[in-house]
Amino acid sequence: MIAKHRLVAAFLFLNALLLPCTATAQPATREPSAPKVQWVTRAVSAPRVSFHTFESAATKTAVSYHLYTPAAYDREQDSRFPVVYWLHGSGGGLSGIASVARYFDAAIEAGKAPPCLVVFVNGLEMGMYVDWADGSAPVESMIVKDLVPHIDSTHRTLAMREGRLLDGFSMGGYGAARLGFKYPELFRAVSIMGAGPMQETLTTTPRASKVQAEELLARVYGGSQERFLEASPRTIAKANAETIAKGSLVRMVIGDRDETYGNNLAFHEHLESLKIPHEWRVLRGIGHDPMAVLIELDDAHWAFYRKALGEPAGSPDRATPNGSEPPPAVTRQAPDSRTPNGDIKLKVDGVDRNAIFVNAPTDGTTRPVVIVLHGGSGSAERMRVSAGFDPVARANGFMVVYAEGTEFGDGRHAWNTGHLLRRQVRDADDIAYFDALIDALVRDHGADPARIFMTGGSNGGMMTFVYAVARPERLAAVAPVVASMFTFDQAPSVPLPILIINGAKDNEVPLEGGMSRTRVVRAAQASPFKPLTEVVHFWKRVNKSSTEPVTQTTGTVTTTTYAATDGGAVTEFVVDSAGGHGWPGTRARRGENTPIGSFNGAERVWEFFKDKRRSPRADG
């Protein structure tokens, strides 16, 4: 099991943001090790990420950078886009580019973040985003004098301060603070996360040795504490306080278990004394762990981006997926059961398969597991961003696992239901994949074998139906969402509690069944959808549910429940008369097909799952 608070492998990009923040330092008395100045790095291959070089006048040589472009950049050829300058940590950041790009892509596609370009800046290992004292590495000048103008002249950007945001964690947070405050005419918004070193001198620091601090001070700042203070965000903020206060959007984020918390708190108080407005968020129970920071921030992270760069087209006034207000500046205490995240890599019939898990136990206990399946053309990461299961899992003490289908191009994945997207994924054995995944969860990750649940949206909901029929004895309950079945040829061997959720205005998976009214889905269908009334009847019969329903209507939502009889299982059908296609509570991707907005999908699914358990009879 992975140690507490390690990152989800799907988000390994943030490992590179960790800064061994400098420690006790005096003017160097030893020769520092040779600095690593690599202006052109290796190219990283990732969907929607390209590798570039440009000639920098400051460095007098070529400098590389990587660039993420959203799908909208290709679709909207006449549009210009805001730019996020992503500042990596002390390690150079290459190892995380692919994952951070996918992280942005998932949020943008889910409508949580505005479409934007992301420039992965080459700030060098331990570069500190300053011009080195000996002139060997003019990192700051390269960025502000050469890179920013190059990006604006080469790509379709909003070439103005209102179209630029600086973000970074640890050393990257330090860089974002000093560059954002020094050049407020270039950058409107500055995000400072887990930043270091934020103190006035390098004589004390929480995250590195004295030797490391001495080497850093000598290499970058010429061994001068005065030069370090001159370059400090504290000094820069004081010099430009009036300008920053008038026009910059600033936020600071820090975990209260982060060793750099004290220095960040002092910097926050320094900004307050300068009357510089800024958002200050303390995340309780969080250490110097960027993924834990982003998970705890949840939609508040993207709310800052929306405020800085503008709301995505067609997004509602409220920022969070379920329509609630963003969380308060100091978030709630995370439960003591907060446990690691990670990834599971499986070999199924010689094919590599992946999944992301969140909130797994490490104390030898077991806990319930909800396996969540993305829709067609989605991914595990995208589903994680949009579905909202992470906070529900933490609050209720279950593990959530985001499974991933077979890729069929450009980071898009789908499930082999046998009747949809067959050409792309027809050779995938997803039944075997889920068998292997459940085995791994029980064997290696503390899953309670009697409380394994499955849910999914759209193509993921269709796959939930398929696995529920094929392997009902392995599951405690299922919840297919905005989906239908294609056939009733096979019946589950044992009853299985099921929650079926659909929207009456769904054009992709119509309640009446048949072929989809959406051209893309219809072209991928090998068989028509079964009408949902027939699907409910099928499950009511195989579950031996009561024939007398209990129906309740609240607002636009009608819930019809066929209770479990002796030896049977409950069948529950939820229809929102105003809902269309998409995971409940998320933003509309198309104006004519708005997802169910009357409830949060993750909360509603767990409410159904929470008291279910696989019976000993099913074990047999």
Side-chain angles (χ1 to χ4, degrees), residues 58-301:
T59 65
K60 298 181 175 61
T61 188
V63 178
S64 65
Y65 65 94
H66 288 78
L67 179 71
Y68 160 80
T69 55
Y73 189 84
D74 297 333
R75 292 194 305 265
E76 302 168 19
Q77 293 291 322
D78 295 329
S79 297
R80 293 186 172 272
F81 294 80
V83 183
V84 174
Y85 287 86
W86 189 267
L87 306 187
H88 60 73
S90 60
L94 286 182
S95 63
I97 288 175
S99 293
V100 69
R102 288 194 293 268
Y103 179 71
F104 269 86
D105 195 57
I108 291 169
E109 288 299 302
K112 294 185 124 186
C116 58
L117 308 184
V118 182
V119 177
F120 297 96
V121 178
N122 176 10
L124 305 182
E125 294 184 11
M126 299 300 293
M128 303 309 295
Y129 300 102
V130 303
D131 289 346
W132 292 14
D134 64 2
S136 64
V139 183
E140 175 184 323
S141 293
M142 177 273 293
I143 294 171
V144 299
K145 294 180 181 180
D146 299 334
L147 177 61
V148 172
H150 167 79
I151 295 297
D152 287 338
S153 64
T154 308
H155 308 285
R156 299 197 318 274
T157 69
L158 292 174
M160 60 184 73
R161 67 181 299 272
E162 289 76 11
R164 302 190 191 104
L165 183 152
L166 276 167
D167 204 349
F169 188 93
S170 200
M171 185 185 85
Y174 166 85
R178 64 176 314 278
L179 296 182
F181 291 164
K182 189 172 182 179
Y183 303 97
E185 72 279 5
L186 284 181
F187 306 101
R188 176 177 183 256
V190 183
S191 171
I192 307 164
M193 299 194 293
M198 302 303 282
Q199 60 270 25
E200 294 185 74
T201 70
L202 280 177
T203 57
T204 58
T205 190
R207 285 186 59 82
S209 70
K210 184 176 186 295
V211 170
Q212 288 174 310
E214 290 176 348
E215 290 187 350
L216 178 68
L217 190 70
R219 178 188 307 157
V220 177
Y221 304 97
S224 168
Q225 292 285 359
E226 291 75 18
R227 191 178 184 93
F228 173 79
L229 179 58
E230 181 184 358
S232 166
R234 298 179 65 92
T235 302
I236 296 170
K238 185 175 181 179
N240 291 339
E242 185 176 352
T243 302
I244 297 167
K246 284 182 179 178
S248 295
L249 186 65
V250 181
R251 75 148 176 203
M252 291 188 67
V253 180
I254 188 71
D256 67 355
R257 295 185 186 177
D258 192 323
E259 300 94 324
T260 69
Y261 171 78
N263 289 336
N264 277 269
L265 175 61
F267 187 73
H268 153 64
E269 292 171 345
H270 178 62
L271 295 184
E272 285 193 322
S273 72
L274 296 173
K275 295 182 172 52
I276 295 177
H278 62 287
E279 178 183 334
W280 165 247
R281 287 185 178 270
V282 177
L283 307 182
R284 294 182 181 142
I286 305 297
H288 197 72
D289 182 334
M291 192 63 238
V293 165
L294 290 177
I295 290 173
E296 188 66 15
L297 278 174
D298 197 24
D299 191 67
H301 177 67

Side-chain angles (χ1 to χ4, degrees), residues 437-485:
L437 177 60
I438 291 172
D439 288 343
L441 290 170
V442 172
R443 182 184 65 242
D444 303 326
H445 299 286
D448 180 352
R451 301 194 68 195
I452 295 174
F453 308 97
M454 181 177 286
T455 185
S458 193
N459 181 223
M462 300 167 204
M463 191 67 224
T464 300
F465 275 126
V466 171
Y467 193 74
V469 169
R471 298 286 193 271
E473 73 282 356
R474 305 214 69 179
L475 302 170
V478 293
V481 178
V482 293
S484 187
M485 298 176 68

